[in-house]
Amino acid sequence: MALQASPFPNGFVATIHAVGWAFIVPCFWFLDRLIVFFGSIIFFILFLATAPLAFVGFLLWAPLQACRRPFHYHRETPSSSDKETHKGFELVGKASFGFATANLCLLPDSLARFNNLGHTQRRATAIGKHIVQGVCRPHICIFVDSPSSCGTLSPSSSLIPTINSSTYGSTDRPTQPPVAESTSAAVLNSNQNSNQQGRANHRSAPRALLSQGLCQQDTVPWEVSSLFPANVDILCLEEVFDKRAAQKLTRELKPVFGHILYDVGVYGCQPSCSCSSFKFFNSGLFLASRFPVLKAQYHCFPNSRGEDALAAKGLLSVKVLIGKCRNQRKAVGYFNCTHLHAPEGEGEIRCEQLNMVTKWIGEFQHANTQLDEDVVFDVLCGDFNFDNCSPEDTKEQNHCLFEGYRDPCRAGPGKEKPWVVGTLLEQPTLYEEEINTPENLQRTLEREDLRKLYISPPVPAVDSPLVYPDTGQPWIGRRIDYILYRESSISKQCRTEIEEMTFITQLAGLTDHIPVGLRLSVIMDSECADE
């Protein structure tokens, strides 16, 4: 049975909820403005004037959370049914799938500015347009031979109209236009259908990193790209807490991603009818998929603490329909996204949440896997709020989740692969010239000496001095945004290979995280497929 669009059981309840929320919004907005423009007497007066109306709205809104399903579902009717299916397995027995994740910090303006970001609504629209620009581009790569070049440039910036990348943060610092480079470029047209090309689209690493001998130590194809990877199939976003921002993102993304889950999470007293924990914000999770969503389930972490307890952080698991295999069995995939506890020094809480994630994923897949289906991928991604190089995060680095799910960037507990770049930017530097455009940020990430200035450094253990990096090893900043995949839970006749791992700079100036992408090639054994 298809998912229903509304999170409420009927139109009457949905209407009452909408009325209650409409009463709350003016007071909430004036409070947000009051914090942004601290000391403004006008916003203070308007806040007080709308507070009684907000109280009435709260009395209507709060009780209805007990019967609210924990997400909205938007489905865009495709012009052709073929656009929602994947012909790879049915025709050639192999297919390629692209995934991406990004933390967007789309909070109310007053809170986003604590992360040196602001103008949440404008950022949401700009982010949506940037993502669409990247994922809809031709699969083309340009190798720059100029001596001044730092490496491989993402090609499409010269082939697609550029979206205005003005900074929307709290610091209204003008964005410097990118400096035109005189280059002699060789263009490799790899605009092959990624659904049928397997590993043919591997990309080489940036020259600056190749010169350090980093790529030769590992077989994972990877790159730093100024655009989102072409043909992303499923996109997971974190910290989309603001409802209006989520609607703007949906509006921009729906022409490409026909199936979107947003406003994911619970509100009010949790558990219901108790006062143990009141959730002011949803989970912030936002999922956009090209494939139809067959099943979806959300779980809220019960062990949040401090400011994190105000948001309903948790796990969203979905089952998507890919199409059919050669043997006419259904091909399905599982995709999971999460956002773990944030404060440093509280690794025990994150480990407990990882235990829950492992348990909930297993239960979801056990309950929803059918005998007439072949599972072709099982992916887990999100903002884990710990990295694989900080001594402070040792507990999380050794969690058993990594025994099941594979991290392409990880050499072992506490040790990253040498080509990895961090994903958490230093917030005070977000608008400096070296990182305020996608192209500038790309060049910065490709140079170790510059990465040290703008990527958050590892966190030392309590009462222990930080000795980092080890002699002869590259400096790698905090990577807290992950895309993992698991092979033990997919169909036995399927083999998985990594086509590409991507660090994405297209959202420079729009968020304090660096998005990451993963493309997997799944090949079905021909003998098993024909059974």
Side-chain angles (χ1 to χ4, degrees), residues 37 202 253 439:
F37 302 102
H202 285 181
L253 296 177
E439 294 77 13

Side-chain angles (χ1 to χ4, degrees), residues 429-502:
T429 67
L430 290 180
Y431 310 111
E432 294 191 7
E433 183 176 357
E434 288 80 2
I435 61 171
N436 66 356
T437 69
E439 294 77 13
N440 290 355
L441 179 55
Q442 180 191 30
R443 285 189 284 266
T444 294
L445 293 182
E446 290 173 347
R447 290 182 51 183
E448 182 178 327
D449 59 327
L450 293 180
R451 284 203 304 273
K452 295 179 181 180
L453 303 177
Y454 301 103
I455 298 292
S456 294
V459 181
V462 178
D463 299 327
S464 298
L466 179 66
V467 180
Y468 185 84
D470 293 336
T471 304
Q473 295 298 311
W475 189 94
I476 297 171
R478 300 198 70 197
R479 178 180 63 92
I480 65 174
D481 301 272
Y482 292 73
I483 297 186
L484 317 177
Y485 69 99
R486 182 165 61 176
E487 295 178 297
S488 61
S489 55
I490 67 175
S491 298
K492 293 181 179 179
Q493 58 265 39
C494 291
R495 294 183 292 108
T496 302
E497 296 179 349
I498 301 175
E499 282 193 19
E500 185 176 71
M501 186 77 199
T502 309

Side-chain angles (χ1 to χ4, degrees), residues 88-136:
F89 292 115
E90 190 173 359
L91 299 177
V92 296
K94 63 180 179 180
S96 176
F97 301 98
F99 312 97
T101 183
N103 183 313
L104 303 183
C105 196
L106 291 177
L107 287 152
D109 276 3
S110 57
L111 300 180
R113 287 172 184 255
F114 283 102
N115 289 6
N116 203 15
L117 293 162
H119 305 288
T120 294
Q121 306 307 317
R122 282 187 280 172
R123 280 197 298 120
T125 299
I127 287 169
K129 290 180 178 179
H130 278 67
I131 292 173
V132 169
Q133 178 197 27
V135 303
C136 292

Side-chain angles (χ1 to χ4, degrees), residues 133-134 137-144 151-162 183 185-191 203 223-230 439 442 446 500 502 505-506:
Q133 178 197 27
R137 65 190 171 97
H139 208 161
I140 297 172
C141 193
I142 293 179
F143 299 93
V144 180
T152 305
L153 292 181
S154 254
S156 336
S157 55
S158 62
L159 303 173
I160 298 178
T162 302
T183 64
V187 180
L188 172 63
N189 186 347
S190 56
N191 186 25
R203 300 189 185 181
E223 73 164 340
V224 180
S225 172
S226 63
L227 287 171
F228 270 80
E439 294 77 13
Q442 180 191 30
E446 290 173 347
E500 185 176 71
T502 309
T505 66
Q506 192 172 6

